[in-house]
Amino acid sequence: MGSSLSLIASVAILRSSINDFVPQEMQSFLQELAGRFTSELTMVISDSHEESKNHLFHALMMYLGSNAFSTSSVPRRITVGKNENIKALAYGLDRNCKIVDTFLGADMKWSYCSEFNSALQYEMKWYELRFHKRHASMVRNKYLPYIIEMAKVIKDQNRVVKFHTTRGGRDGWNFKGINLDHPMTFDTLAMDGNLKQKVIEDLDRFVKGKNYYRKIGKVWKRGYLLYGPPGTGKSSLIAAMANHLNFDIYSLNLSAVSSDSSLESLLLHMSNRSILVVEDIDCSVELQNRQAGDRPSDHDKTPRKPQEKFVTLSGLLNAIDGLLSCCGDERVIVFTTNYKDRIDPALLRAGRMDLHINLSYCTFSTFKQLAETYLDICNHDLFPRIEKLISEVQVSPAEVAGELMKIRNPKSSLEGLCGFLECKREAAKSSAPPTSVPESLEDAPGGV
């Protein structure tokens, strides 16, 4: 033990003497000379590049931290932390720690270094990568781009979904947004038939379609129109979409936007990987169906001064589908309405609202999903009676869910629902309700 300590002390003294008495130029020459006899190359990635933030450095922090426990050489010291903007703990390498990452069968030897510069009062941080010379082309063309790509995936998966609104009627989004802790997911969302799966597949196809959209020369965005009676799950579907994609939501109240130019500014300040939501689009000023001859006063009773400016249909069309729409990637636009026929057809065509999703009254299929979610049952003796009643009355999924929440006991809850449906049936006998349209998914006119 004593001899080992003596050896370490001797090495430290020798290293200090070399730094003190051997000129820096000679040290560099000796290092270069030694490099000629080694088969490894060393690549240095510092935290800044050309006086700005080095994005590769920050991508490495995320990538290597996520692999800290999955490599054959677990680092001796690992940093860990969490803030309000991420879902899970974030790991990283501590100072002077090393890790070996294997890529395409080649060992990539990483080390994290830092040094405090007393003159600049600044801590310099950098990563060093050592690899065999024969892998230089692979590192440059494949490995480093792969790190950047994977870091983006890790960041997107771990970030907390935010909800943004306009700032109290002023032209701008609230600064940080609030965490969207909505519990609705596609697992708990009740939708009829295969419609839910078709929506999920369409969203997944969109997220994976970056290269395809670029190939066909289209902006990477997708529009959805959700229409149907109140209480049929339009807001719940939006929340499920946001949680499935892990996209932020920007809720836009057009009546709070003072002009077309203000609308353009709002859209320019949206983040990528986000959902723009305009609820009750048919009630927005000056956006009614021109072909139907609607006037703003038909649906919007909000008084406006003659000189007051507001968003126009032309301004909205240009904002979501003009040149401005290319100033952002991976965006979803969702309009909701209770009355599809009141919306100007120009807003509904492919490229603006690509998919039209009809959310109608509750069907027996929807009821069974609600019963499984709220009561943990897949079948019951009262199901046939409820199936018959649902076919005879128009009831929204929200109304059915409200009845099922009143009592936790399955039998009592279903009996209460039967009574509720029978009351609605009796009340409907005195009037002739409109024919219910099944839930459906339609491509926009002109869509591919």
Side-chain angles (χ1 to χ4, degrees):
M1 180 67 178
S3 60
S4 298
L5 293 175
S6 176
L7 177 61
I8 293 173
S10 299
V11 171
I13 294 172
L14 178 61
R15 182 177 180 181
S16 176
S17 300
I18 292 174
N19 290 333
D20 292 339
F21 298 107
V22 179
Q24 185 63 42
E25 292 79 3
M26 180 59 71
Q27 292 184 38
S28 300
F29 173 76
L30 293 174
Q31 290 176 356
E32 182 181 351
L33 184 63
R36 296 180 182 180
F37 298 97
T38 181
S39 60
E40 285 190 332
L41 289 178
T42 300
M43 186 176 287
V44 178
I45 300 98
S46 62
D47 60 343
S48 62
H49 180 69
E50 295 182 351
E51 299 182 356
S52 64
K53 184 171 72 172
N54 188 345
H55 292 284
L56 178 57
F57 176 87
H58 293 278
L60 275 168
M61 290 179 64
M62 211 164 295
Y63 173 76
L64 294 177
S66 68
N67 290 341
F69 295 102
S70 58
T71 61
S72 57
S73 59
V74 178
R76 290 176 300 171
R77 293 171 60 84
I78 296 174
T79 62
V80 60
K82 186 184 184 303
N83 60 47
E84 62 181 9
N85 295 318
I86 60 176
K87 296 177 181 177
L89 297 174
Y91 299 94
L93 301 185
D94 199 7
R95 179 180 178 181
N96 298 327
C97 279
K98 299 180 179 181
I99 189 173
V100 178
D101 183 35
T102 302
F103 181 76
L104 298 180
D107 286 343
M108 301 290 139
K109 303 171 185 176
W110 289 99
S111 58
Y112 175 63
C113 311
S114 66
E115 182 177 286
F116 185 77
N117 189 317
S118 56
L120 299 176
Q121 292 295 301
Y122 173 74
E123 184 183 16
M124 298 180 295
K125 296 174 286 185
W126 69 94
Y127 286 98
E128 291 185 0
L129 168 62
R130 292 186 294 117
F131 54 89
H132 198 283
K133 290 179 179 180
R134 64 172 175 268
H135 299 312
S137 178
M138 182 264 286
V139 168
R140 185 176 65 252
N141 298 321
K142 295 182 179 180
Y143 185 50
L144 296 182
Y146 170 78
I147 289 174
I148 294 174
E149 179 183 345
M150 289 306 300
K152 180 181 182 300
V153 172
I154 295 166
K155 179 181 178 181
D156 292 339
Q157 290 176 344
N158 198 29
R159 73 171 185 167
V160 172
V161 175
K162 297 285 187 177
F163 182 81
H164 302 265
T165 60
T166 49
R167 295 180 300 194
R170 293 175 290 168
D171 296 331
W173 301 109
N174 55 335
F175 180 60
K176 289 185 177 180
I178 60 175
N179 292 353
L180 182 69
D181 294 324
H182 201 296
M184 182 60 69
T185 67
F186 278 114
D187 291 332
T188 55
L189 179 69
M191 290 179 69
D192 193 27
N194 297 320
L195 179 60
K196 184 194 300 187
Q197 187 59 36
K198 290 179 179 178
V199 173
I200 294 173
E201 291 173 356
D202 190 80
L203 290 170
D204 291 342
R205 189 162 49 246
F206 164 73
V207 170
K208 298 174 183 177
K210 179 178 181 179
N211 293 332
Y212 175 74
Y213 275 80
R214 186 172 296 275
K215 173 187 173 184
I216 63 177
K218 287 186 175 293
V219 178
W220 193 13
K221 66 181 180 67
R222 187 79 170 157
Y224 296 88
L225 174 72
L226 312 184
Y227 67 99
T232 51
K234 295 183 284 291
S235 297
S236 295
L237 177 55
I238 293 171
M241 293 168 69
N243 285 328
H244 179 74
L245 298 172
N246 216 38
F247 278 20
D248 290 347
I249 290 180
Y250 288 79
S251 181
L252 179 60
N253 179 6
L254 287 175
S255 64
V257 183
S258 61
S259 64
D260 290 343
S261 60
S262 296
L263 175 62
E264 292 178 357
S265 177
L266 282 169
L267 299 190
L268 283 172
H269 287 87
M270 285 178 58
S271 65
N272 292 337
R273 293 180 59 84
S274 59
I275 301 176
L276 175 67
V277 177
V278 183
E279 296 191 276
D280 297 321
I281 185 71
D282 57 291
C283 297
S284 299
V285 178
E286 295 289 352
L287 300 181
Q288 286 74 34
N289 187 344
R290 294 169 297 180
Q291 293 185 4
D294 290 342
R295 297 182 58 81
S297 58
D298 294 338
H299 309 305
D300 181 26
K301 305 300 182 181
T302 305
R304 287 184 180 269
K305 298 177 182 179
Q307 71 275 18
E308 188 176 0
K309 295 182 179 180
F310 50 85
V311 175
T312 65
L313 175 61
S314 174
L316 180 61
L317 294 177
N318 290 332
I320 66 173
D321 195 32
L323 289 176
L324 181 69
S325 65
C326 69
C327 301
D329 270 339
E330 217 170 349
R331 288 182 179 175
V332 171
I333 302 172
V334 178
F335 290 166
T336 74
T337 179
N338 296 336
Y339 308 99
K340 180 181 176 182
D341 59 331
R342 292 182 181 177
I343 301 177
D344 195 292
L347 276 170
L348 303 182
R349 71 164 178 80
R352 290 167 182 161
M353 294 293 103
D354 303 286
L355 216 55
H356 299 178
I357 303 174
N358 178 24
L359 299 172
S360 189
Y361 291 107
C362 188
T363 65
F364 184 61
S365 172
T366 306
F367 159 73
K368 288 195 294 184
Q369 295 176 59
L370 291 170
E372 183 175 0
T373 300
Y374 286 82
L375 303 177
D376 292 321
I377 58 173
C378 297
N379 202 359
H380 195 276
D381 292 341
L382 290 174
F383 273 23
R385 180 181 171 190
I386 293 174
E387 181 177 12
K388 183 175 185 299
L389 287 168
I390 284 180
S391 67
E392 296 173 348
V393 300
Q394 291 183 337
V395 58
S396 71
E399 290 177 300
V400 173
E403 291 299 316
L404 296 179
M405 288 182 67
K406 290 180 178 180
I407 306 174
R408 299 294 176 85
N409 178 269
K411 184 176 184 297
S412 301
S413 181
L414 294 178
E415 288 175 346
L417 176 62
C418 288
F420 173 77
L421 294 174
E422 288 168 350
C423 289
K424 285 188 72 73
R425 182 179 61 183
E426 295 302 316
K429 285 182 178 180
S430 59
S431 61
T435 304
S436 176
V437 180
E439 290 186 341
S440 63
L441 181 147
E442 314 159 13
D443 287 317
V448 178

